[in-house]
Amino acid sequence: MSGVKRILFITGTDTGAGKTVVTALLAQWLRGRGVAVGAFKPLCSGGRDDARILRDAVGGGLSLDGINPWHFRAAIAPALAARREGKTVRLAEVREHIVSAAKGFEVTLVEGAGGLMSPLGADFDSRDLLLALRAAPVIVAPNKLGVVNQVRLTLAALPAGVRARSRVVLVAPAKAEAATGSNAGLLAEYFPAGNIFKLPWLGRGFSVEGALKKAVVEKMIKGLAEA
Ligand SMILES: Nc1ncnc2c1ncn2[C@@H]1O[C@H](COP(=O)(O)OP(=O)(O)O)[C@@H](O)[C@H]1O
Ligand SMILES: [Mg+2]
């Protein structure tokens, strides 16, 4: 750890990609190393399970409302779910919440919703928030056929300087496909291999703490946190 305060923004190629799992693993690992870590899921729609998982991973110190100040009932994009409730969430207020909360932490993790360009609020998507926070992107993607295209599109949507600071996490599916073993190598023809990480399938009903006891997972999360 450099000791420099930093913000990692965990985004992905899609919903259900593994963003919350990666964020929770990072939070729990950093906490275990004695690093003051905060984790935020500023906007939730259709339930606050992600925020609860992050609260457990940071181990107290942050309330559910601190982790997730904005939540809406409908299980659709937060921007639309808010509109249905007659509510408006603006980039400036979300940015302000994170920036102010981040002052108390060495590392701040922010989970978006959906993918990089999924609408989050009235005037912003995950990319806007990521850029407003000057955060380093962590792009989480299912390690299946088609992922090289999805990751390249996501990277292409970022300014070059931010792209260079990005890390990619390929999350293994429950059942490996022919492409699962070769995607990282193919992606490395377009993006630095050192910034590509592979998270194995952890099984159903895994625990974050238990997962970090596996050497391969611990090594991967350590590399991601220190990249
Ligand atoms: N490596 C993994 N091993 C086992 N289950 C996983 C893994 N990654 C994700 N999952 C499961 O897949 C589902 C979607 O993951 P999640 O982190 O919630 O995605 P996202 O936050 O991108 O929507 C969750 O039920 C989660 O527990
Ligand atoms: Mg999530």
Side-chain angles (χ1 to χ4, degrees), residues 38-127:
F40 298 88
K41 167 91 185 186
L43 293 103
C44 281
S45 49
R48 302 173 88 188
D49 286 354
D50 284 9
R52 289 190 188 91
I53 291 169
L54 299 187
R55 184 180 55 182
D56 290 347
V58 294
L62 277 170
S63 69
L64 194 61
D65 285 341
I67 291 168
N68 169 231
W70 295 275
H71 51 98
F72 308 102
R73 282 183 296 275
I76 52 179
L80 204 52
R83 206 184 296 165
R84 290 213 180 150
E85 295 180 26
K87 294 178 183 144
T88 303
V89 186
R90 298 209 174 275
L91 175 61
E93 56 186 326
V94 179
R95 181 188 169 279
E96 180 49 37
H97 175 79
I98 306 281
V99 166
S100 138
K103 291 195 175 115
F105 301 107
E106 288 164 74
V107 179
T108 298
L109 309 172
V110 182
E111 183 188 342
L116 185 67
M117 292 179 71
S118 301
L120 275 188
D123 61 348
F124 68 104
D125 55 26
S126 277
R127 177 174 61 176

Side-chain angles (χ1 to χ4, degrees), residues 44-221:
C44 281
S45 49
R48 302 173 88 188
D49 286 354
D50 284 9
R52 289 190 188 91
I53 291 169
L54 299 187
R55 184 180 55 182
D56 290 347
V58 294
L62 277 170
S63 69
L64 194 61
D65 285 341
I67 291 168
N68 169 231
W70 295 275
H71 51 98
F72 308 102
R73 282 183 296 275
I76 52 179
L80 204 52
R83 206 184 296 165
R84 290 213 180 150
E85 295 180 26
K87 294 178 183 144
T88 303
V89 186
R90 298 209 174 275
L91 175 61
E93 56 186 326
V94 179
R95 181 188 169 279
E96 180 49 37
H97 175 79
I98 306 281
V99 166
S100 138
K103 291 195 175 115
F105 301 107
E106 288 164 74
V107 179
T108 298
L109 309 172
V110 182
E111 183 188 342
L116 185 67
M117 292 179 71
S118 301
L120 275 188
D123 61 348
F124 68 104
D125 55 26
S126 277
R127 177 174 61 176
D128 298 318
L129 180 58
L130 184 162
L131 296 177
L133 291 169
R134 298 175 187 279
V138 175
I139 299 165
V140 181
N143 195 350
K144 297 179 175 179
L145 188 62
V147 79
V148 172
N149 168 60
Q150 290 163 358
V151 170
R152 291 185 69 206
L153 282 172
T154 302
L155 289 164
L158 293 167
V162 179
R163 195 182 312 140
R165 297 168 61 212
S166 299
R167 296 97 155 144
V168 172
V169 179
L170 300 178
V171 180
K175 239 173 121 46
E177 299 179 351
T180 302
S182 56
N183 279 327
L186 183 56
L187 185 60
E189 294 180 21
Y190 303 92
F191 186 71
N195 289 343
I196 303 172
F197 299 84
K198 291 198 286 181
L199 181 66
W201 172 250
L202 301 168
R204 298 207 188 277
F206 70 92
S207 76
V208 171
E209 212 175 353
L212 285 172
K213 292 199 175 113
K214 295 182 182 173
V216 58
V217 177
E218 201 269 345
K219 187 164 172 258
M220 177 264 162
I221 291 294

Side-chain angles (χ1 to χ4, degrees), residues 16-40:
K19 296 184 300 293
T20 304
V21 171
V22 169
T23 310
L25 287 168
L26 279 168
Q28 181 110 16
W29 184 83
L30 286 162
R31 176 158 70 96
R33 298 280 291 232
V35 176
V37 57
F40 298 88

